[in-house]
């Protein structure tokens, strides 16, 4: 509408020289540009709601999955003090990390146990080294036994140390004079507040006593200036008679696992906030402190699963070509009226719920199912020798070939429809026999259809989950089933995300090929 | 090979009929599994195979008990009502947003058209298990996992590519001079849209809507992860039933679903023909 007026203006005003002007006196070029801009804006305004919707409901989840496949904040978030010290540890030189790491671990693990996040970290690290999960769980239970003597001494010195308010008042003005104490207090206050409680009314954790004792032993009472200065001096004297906590011995006392270098190496290897560990696991490798290594023989699984997924998808694709080609040929060469009716036989399965078709195959393929009954009745197989057609790769291949066959027939049909039948007749009149005419003239022209159908079927097949899950047993399942297993059963979301990312990359690569060969815009429905 | 010529040799004659038999067998492979389960759903026994009574067409061997079970079992009823609530809501969302965007996309000047199209089509391209994984992670971060809203949003996203594809395909044949004529006669853009453009692209919108509906209605992977037990839909209930204890009620449900797909298929086909006729494209 606006562009109409522009053209109109251009026709009426045609000054002999200077820029062409529109009806409102502006240069025509500007007006046209403005109209074009407005048109673009209007198009974008119409698209924007949907684009935002898809970005939030779909693209963000995919991005989240990609992020989760490398995300590894849990180690540093749960054990910040330990991780900071472990950076300086050289596992080649010393078996165990320096005592400072044990001191950090004591504080981190105490706080984590109060927050109940230590078990989550335990299960995370257990994916890498088995046994860590129970180590964390057991240690979490006995963290408050460490430094018992110090706690008793502090509380015996002055009854005010049994009052939560005393600790809160000390924390108010502790600042940099009591570094260890304020550091732990910050976490104490955070955790207590997260529960909706007031830190000034909550009994102080044992780790606060221990850290305060560390500060006082370092001579903090002299530097400290504020309330309770006298009491702190008193405490310093009282604590002089108590041996400092030997963190290495204390942690080993809690659980012998802490004297195992393998545990510490795992923590150190997985300390960074981003890790390639999940991706390495997804291809049967693992990250160790010596670099990347292969998984032990008995834990290799995923390369085999990827390979199986690809081989079975390829088999299914070949089966759909073999079955789909004759059908498409007949449909393309029959009169429209007949082929339209036969097309229903292709479209009905296409429109029927995936679960209906899968349950049909489950019923048909069972040992006591229709196919076995029929074969026994005919007498091809003995009653006690029924075929095992389900819960294995055969079941998956049969059911998925059936389910994906329409996706092969439809593109093949639309390509074959465009091949003029006169070409075949011409070939034959030039002396070719039926086979030569088909193979040299017709088949090459139908190859684009085979290509389009194959890529489509293959892409759909490698991502299938429901059918392999229901008819595949253990030998007929795909990588998708493993992804689902890691999401809902083993809860190893990072590995699920890494497997998903690899699968997604594979599918996108195939779609890129499909786009080059066929063009995504040529996807037709119905 | 549309017809066998009179001069065909015996070999050609044999091949002509053999080929038809082969294709017939493939058609049988395509359609038989769906047809086989229909009589089985009327089985009076709890078996998954034809009983001697059924083969002898004994009326005693047939019963509606699995259908009665479907309509009286609270699990199946909850699943049915969930399906009937979730699928239409998702369809309305995807048709509403999708139609607007398809009209925007079919304008002559759209910046980043290819990129936008790729994003909008992506839910159809990404394998369902990956969409489900991503949505599960993300929706549990924002508190939508295990809610009706979450499932509806997820299904709407999955249905949108179908709406976009069908509606843009209809708009390709849309004669732009019609909207110009309407504007010339004094109609404002909104009136033009509802009085001129909408009636003409309606078949495309409806078949896009049907695709979106069936996508949501049949979808199980995403709802398994994004939903929880209280959002279970019919496919969810079927999937659980098939995985755990397979009950013949599933076959009754399957038969009902086949009936629904026949209905939908017929509707889409009719709409396609009507739209082709309206746009002056006669089927060859």
């Amino acid at each position: 509408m606006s562009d109409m007026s522009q053209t109109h203006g251009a026709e009426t005003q045609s000054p002999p020289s200077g820029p062409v002007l529109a009806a409102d006196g502006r240069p025509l070029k500007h007006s046209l540009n403005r109209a074009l801009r407005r048109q673009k804006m209007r198009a974008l305004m119409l698209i924007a709601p949907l684009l935002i919707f898809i970005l939030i409901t779909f693209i963000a989840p995919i991005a989240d999955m990609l992020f989760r496949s490398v995300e590894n904040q849990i180690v540093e978030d749960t054990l910040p003090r330990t991780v900071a010290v472990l950076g300086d540890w050289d596992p080649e030189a010393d078996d165990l990390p320096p005592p400072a790491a044990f001191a950090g671990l004591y504080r981190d693990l105490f706080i984590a146990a109060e927050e109940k996040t230590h078990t989550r970290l335990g299960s995370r690290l257990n994916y890498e080294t088995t046994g860590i999960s129970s180590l964390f769980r057991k240690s979490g239970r006995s963290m408050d036994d460490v430094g018992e003597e110090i706690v008793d001494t502090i509380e015996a010195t002055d009854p005010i140390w049994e009052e939560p308010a005393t600790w809160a008042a000390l924390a108010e003005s502790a600042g940099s004079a009591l570094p260890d104490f304020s550091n732990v207090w910050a976490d104490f206050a955070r955790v207590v507040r997260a529960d909706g409680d007031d830190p000034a009314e909550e009994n102080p954790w044992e780790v606060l006593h221990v850290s305060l004792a560390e500060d006082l032993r370092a001579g903090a009472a002299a530097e400290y200036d504020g309330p309770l200065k006298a009491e702190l001096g008193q405490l310093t004297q009282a604590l002089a008679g108590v041996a400092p906590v030997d963190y290495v011995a204390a942690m080993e006392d809690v659980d012998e696992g802490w004297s195992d270098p393998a545990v510490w190496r795992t923590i150190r290897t997985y300390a960074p906030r981003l890790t390639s560990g999940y991706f390495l696991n997804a291809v049967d490798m693992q990250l160790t402190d010596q670099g990347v290594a292969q998984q032990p023989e008995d834990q290799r699984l995923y390369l085999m699963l990827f390979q199986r997924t690809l081989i079975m998808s390829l088999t299914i694709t070949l089966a759909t070509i073999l079955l789909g080609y004759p059908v498409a040929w007949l449909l393309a060469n029959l009169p429209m009226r007949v082929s339209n009716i036969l097309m229903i036989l292709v479209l009905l399965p296409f429109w029927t719920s995936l679960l209906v078709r899968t349950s049909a195959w489950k019923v048909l393929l069972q040992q006591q199912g229709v196919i076995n009954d029929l074969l026994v009745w005919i007498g091809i197989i003995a009653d006690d020798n029924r075929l095992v057609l389900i819960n294995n790769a055969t079941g998956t291949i049969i059911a998925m070939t059936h389910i994906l066959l329409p996706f092969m027939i439809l593109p093949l049909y639309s390509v074959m429809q465009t091949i003029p039948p006169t070409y075949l007749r011409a070939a034959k009149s030039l002396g070719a026999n039926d086979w030569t005419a088909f193979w040299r003239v017709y088949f090459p022209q139908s190859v684009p259809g085979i290509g389009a159908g194959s890529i489509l079927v293959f892409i759909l097949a490698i991502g299938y989950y429901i059918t392999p899950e229901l008819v595949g047993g253990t030998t007929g399942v795909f990588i998708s089933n493993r992804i689902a297993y890691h999401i809902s059963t083993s809860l190893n979301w990072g590995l699920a995300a890494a497997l998903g990312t690899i699968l997604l990359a594979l599918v996108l690569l195939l779609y890129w090929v499909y786009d080059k060969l066929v063009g995504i815009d040529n996807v037709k429905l119905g | 090979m549309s017809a066998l010529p009179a001069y065909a040799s015996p070999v050609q004659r044999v091949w002509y009929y053999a080929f038809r038999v082969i294709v017939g067998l493939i058609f049988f492979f395509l359609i038989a599994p769906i047809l086989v389960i229909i009589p089985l759903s009327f089985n009076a026994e709890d078996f998954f195979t034809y009983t001697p009574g059924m083969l002898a067409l004994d009326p005693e061997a047939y019963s509606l008990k699995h259908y009665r079970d479907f309509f009286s079992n609270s699990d199946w009823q909850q699943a049915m009502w969930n399906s009937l609530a979730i699928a239409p809501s998702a369809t309305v969302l995807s048709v509403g947003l999708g139609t607007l965007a398809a009209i925007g996309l079919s304008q002559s000047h759209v910046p980043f058209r290819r990129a936008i199209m790729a994003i909008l089509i992506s839910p159809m391209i990404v394998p369902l298990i990956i969409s489900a994984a991503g949505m599960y992670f993300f929706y549990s971060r924002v508190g939508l996992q295990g809610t009706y809203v979450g499932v509806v949003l997820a299904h709407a996203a999955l249905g949108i590519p179908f709406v976009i594809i069908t509606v843009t395909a209809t708009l390709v044949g849309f004669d732009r001079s019609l909207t110009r004529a309407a504007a010339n006669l004094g109609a404002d853009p909104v009136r033009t849209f509802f009085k001129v453009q909408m009636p003409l692209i309606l078949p495309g919108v409806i078949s896009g809507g049907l695709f979106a509906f069936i996508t949501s209605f049949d979808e199980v992977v995403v709802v398994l992860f994004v939903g929880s037990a209280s959002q279970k839909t019919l496919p969810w209930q079927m999937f659980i039933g098939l995985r755990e204890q397979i009950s013949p009620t599933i076959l009754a449900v399957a038969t009902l679903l086949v009936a629904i797909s026949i209905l939908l298929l017929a509707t889409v086909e009719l709409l396609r023909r009507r739209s082709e006729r309206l746009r002056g494209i006669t089927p060859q």
Side-chain angles (χ1 to χ4, degrees):
Chain A
M1 296 133 274
S2 54
D3 47 328
M4 292 273 294
S5 67
Q6 305 304 338
T7 31
H8 179 69
E11 275 163 20
T12 48
Q13 290 208 3
S14 45
S17 65
V20 186
L21 295 184
D24 56 358
R26 292 161 179 272
L28 179 63
K29 209 173 170 184
H30 288 189
S31 288
L32 280 176
N33 277 343
R34 207 180 44 171
L36 188 65
R37 235 185 355 260
R38 205 181 302 147
Q39 216 179 356
K40 281 184 180 175
M41 277 309 291
R42 200 177 48 194
L44 281 184
M45 292 284 278
L46 285 169
I47 299 168
L50 182 67
L51 195 61
I52 293 167
F53 181 82
I54 287 284
L55 285 176
I56 293 173
T57 59
F58 189 79
I59 302 294
I62 297 293
D64 189 18
M65 186 197 72
L66 298 181
F67 173 62
R68 269 186 204 265
S69 65
V70 291
E71 187 250 310
N72 189 44
Q73 294 162 345
I74 183 169
V75 181
E76 201 183 326
D77 283 352
T78 319
L79 305 175
R81 298 170 183 84
T82 321
V83 166
V85 182
L86 279 184
D88 308 329
W89 171 46
D90 176 14
E92 300 291 309
D94 303 296
D95 251 6
L96 284 177
F102 285 86
L105 179 71
Y106 162 64
R107 288 162 177 72
D108 290 335
L109 212 50
F110 195 105
I111 295 161
E114 293 291 338
E115 269 190 295
K116 304 199 169 49
T117 53
H118 65 302
T119 47
R120 274 180 50 214
L121 176 63
S123 356
R124 160 70 187 97
L125 291 174
N126 204 56
Y127 302 140
E128 317 302 340
T129 306
T130 40
I132 293 196
S133 177
S134 66
L135 171 65
F136 270 72
R137 209 172 41 245
K138 267 166 66 187
S139 307
R141 266 187 251 126
S142 35
M143 287 319 291
D144 38 10
D145 297 343
V146 178
E148 243 178 339
E149 207 183 341
I150 290 178
V151 178
D152 290 346
T153 314
I154 292 180
E155 285 181 354
T157 315
D158 195 325
I160 60 159
W161 294 111
E162 289 179 41
E163 298 294 325
T166 315
W167 294 85
L170 182 65
E172 283 275 307
S173 46
S176 56
L178 303 171
D180 194 5
F181 171 73
S182 342
N183 181 308
V184 176
W185 177 272
D187 278 314
F188 171 70
R190 177 176 55 80
V191 176
V192 169
R193 284 204 189 97
D195 284 344
D197 295 319
D198 183 2
E201 288 167 13
E202 205 59 20
N203 271 332
W205 297 340
E206 286 79 356
V207 68
L208 284 169
H209 297 80
V210 174
S211 58
L212 180 61
E214 291 286 343
D215 282 335
L216 294 177
R217 201 180 299 279
E223 282 168 45
Y224 177 78
D225 192 25
L228 299 160
K229 187 169 167 63
E231 284 83 352
L232 283 184
Q234 209 182 353
L235 268 189
T236 316
Q237 279 178 0
L239 286 168
V242 182
V245 179
D246 178 357
Y247 294 104
V248 181
M251 289 311 291
E252 282 169 6
D253 230 27
V254 166
D255 196 302
E256 283 175 357
W258 294 113
S259 54
D260 180 2
V263 171
W264 287 99
R265 282 189 194 161
T266 307
I267 296 178
R268 184 172 179 275
T269 312
Y270 288 92
R273 301 185 82 83
L274 295 177
T275 180
S276 57
Y278 292 123
F279 275 104
L280 290 170
N281 284 352
V283 292
D284 288 342
M285 309 282 244
Q286 72 187 115
L287 196 61
T288 66
D289 57 331
Q290 267 106 38
V292 179
Q294 276 222 310
Q295 289 272 29
E297 193 93 38
D298 54 329
Q299 285 175 35
R300 289 181 208 161
L301 173 66
Y302 300 107
L303 283 184
M304 187 270 283
L305 267 179
F306 272 114
Q307 199 187 346
R308 182 201 285 165
T309 306
L310 294 180
I311 289 178
M312 283 179 62
S313 304
L314 213 59
T315 315
I316 292 161
T317 310
L318 284 176
T320 54
I321 295 175
L322 282 179
L323 297 179
Y325 199 92
V327 172
W329 198 88
L330 192 70
L331 286 176
N333 285 286
L334 281 176
M336 202 63 180
R337 202 167 34 83
V338 187
S339 75
N340 263 347
I341 292 169
L342 284 178
M343 198 54 150
I344 292 175
L345 298 182
V346 179
L347 288 178
L348 183 62
F350 181 74
W351 274 89
T352 305
S353 163
L354 169 69
L355 274 166
V356 170
R357 287 180 282 168
T358 309
S359 31
W361 281 110
K362 190 137 181 152
V363 168
L364 287 172
L365 296 174
Q366 284 182 54
Q367 290 219 281
Q368 303 300 324
V370 175
I371 289 182
N372 266 312
D373 275 359
L374 193 69
L375 291 177
V376 169
W377 184 70
I378 298 173
I380 295 178
I381 55 169
D383 197 14
D384 52 356
N385 198 19
R386 287 168 174 255
L387 301 177
V388 186
L389 294 171
I390 205 166
N391 294 335
N392 55 21
T394 320
T396 306
I397 289 175
I398 296 178
M400 282 183 61
T401 302
H402 175 250
I403 288 166
L404 295 175
L405 191 49
F407 291 95
M408 177 62 80
I409 295 176
L410 296 174
L412 266 177
Y413 170 70
S414 64
V415 167
M416 285 180 180
Q417 252 192 330
T418 63
I419 304 175
T422 43
Y423 286 9
L424 264 187
R425 267 182 251 148
K428 282 182 197 168
S429 76
L430 290 169
N433 61 20
D434 284 352
W435 170 251
T436 316
F438 167 76
W439 185 246
R440 301 281 300 278
V441 175
Y442 195 88
F443 183 77
Q445 296 185 80
S446 66
V447 165
I450 299 182
S454 304
I455 295 184
L456 196 59
V457 169
F458 190 77
I459 292 171
L460 289 169
I462 60 173
Y464 247 56
Y465 164 63
I466 293 297
T467 310
E469 180 78 17
L470 291 176
V471 300
T474 50
T475 54
V477 293
F478 284 6
I479 198 73
S480 336
N481 303 78
R482 203 67 196 169
I483 297 176
Y485 165 79
H486 281 307
I487 296 172
S488 51
T489 310
S490 83
L491 304 182
N492 191 349
W493 290 5
L495 182 55
L499 290 170
T501 305
I502 295 176
L503 187 60
L504 180 64
L506 201 63
V507 168
L508 289 183
L509 180 76
L510 285 168
Y511 259 101
W512 181 77
V513 174
Y514 183 85
D515 190 32
K516 290 280 151 212
L517 286 182
V518 194
I520 295 269
D521 294 346
N522 290 341
V523 182
K524 284 206 188 94
L525 300 166
Chain B
M1 194 152 70
S2 46
L4 194 59
Y7 50 81
S9 68
V11 176
Q12 281 174 325
R13 218 168 272 274
V14 168
W15 171 242
Y16 179 84
Y17 291 110
F19 183 76
R20 259 140 231 254
V21 170
I22 294 171
V23 175
L25 286 175
I26 300 171
F27 274 124
F28 179 76
F29 170 73
L30 265 172
I31 208 80
I34 298 169
L35 298 184
V36 156
I37 58 168
I38 295 176
L40 277 182
S41 70
F42 296 100
N43 197 340
E45 310 280 339
D46 283 349
F47 293 147
F48 286 97
T49 190
Y50 287 89
T51 55
M54 292 182 85
L55 294 174
L57 294 180
D58 178 6
E60 291 285 295
Y62 292 85
S63 90
L64 287 173
K65 70 179 223 183
H66 303 312
Y67 290 86
R68 272 196 297 276
D69 183 43
F70 171 68
F71 284 107
S72 58
N73 184 320
S74 63
D75 276 341
W76 284 108
Q77 283 306 296
Q78 195 202 348
M80 186 182 82
W81 289 115
N82 275 340
S83 275
L84 290 179
I86 289 169
S89 325
T91 308
V92 167
L93 250 182
S94 38
V95 168
L97 293 171
T99 308
L100 269 189
I103 291 171
L105 279 169
S106 63
Q107 311 273 320
S108 39
H109 300 283
V110 184
F112 315 113
R113 191 172 185 281
R114 267 187 80 81
I116 292 174
M117 199 69 177
I119 291 176
L120 298 185
I121 299 294
S122 62
M124 196 174 80
I125 290 170
V126 175
L128 276 175
I129 186 71
I130 294 175
S131 314
M135 285 170 169
Y136 178 69
F137 296 147
F138 184 73
Y139 286 15
S140 29
R141 256 188 229 271
V142 296
L144 282 173
Q145 200 270 332
T147 63
Y148 280 98
V149 177
V151 177
V152 168
L153 290 181
H155 277 182
L158 294 180
I160 275 165
F162 298 99
V163 178
I164 293 282
I165 288 176
T166 47
V167 179
T168 39
T170 324
L171 282 167
V172 167
F174 182 75
D175 186 355
R176 265 164 197 286
S177 53
L178 291 176
T179 50
R180 294 212 186 111
N184 212 353
L185 293 167
D188 60 58
V190 176
R191 197 177 156 83
T192 313
F193 174 73
F194 281 108
K195 288 280 172 190
V196 179
Q197 200 165 14
M198 196 60 190
L200 281 169
I201 64 169
L202 196 61
V205 174
I206 293 179
S207 56
L210 286 176
F211 272 107
F213 181 85
I214 204 83
T215 305
S216 166
F217 198 72
D218 275 352
E219 206 289 319
V220 56
V221 187
V222 167
V223 78
L224 269 176
F225 287 100
V226 174
S228 66
S230 52
Q231 286 90 40
K232 65 176 170 198
T233 56
L234 278 181
W236 158 306
Q237 184 70 18
M238 287 180 82
F239 177 76
I240 298 297
L242 284 169
R243 198 166 57 173
E244 277 141 31
Q245 18 66 283
I246 165 161
S247 97
T249 311
I250 287 173
L251 297 184
V253 183
T255 307
L256 292 174
L257 290 182
V258 170
I260 293 178
S261 10
I262 292 175
L263 216 68
L264 285 177
L265 172 63
T267 318
V268 170
E269 193 57 27
L270 284 178
L271 283 172
R272 195 176 59 86
R273 295 198 182 167
R274 181 176 176 273
S275 134
E276 279 175 356
R277 203 173 55 239
L278 277 181
R279 281 153 48 196
I281 309 169
T282 42
Q284 307 89 331

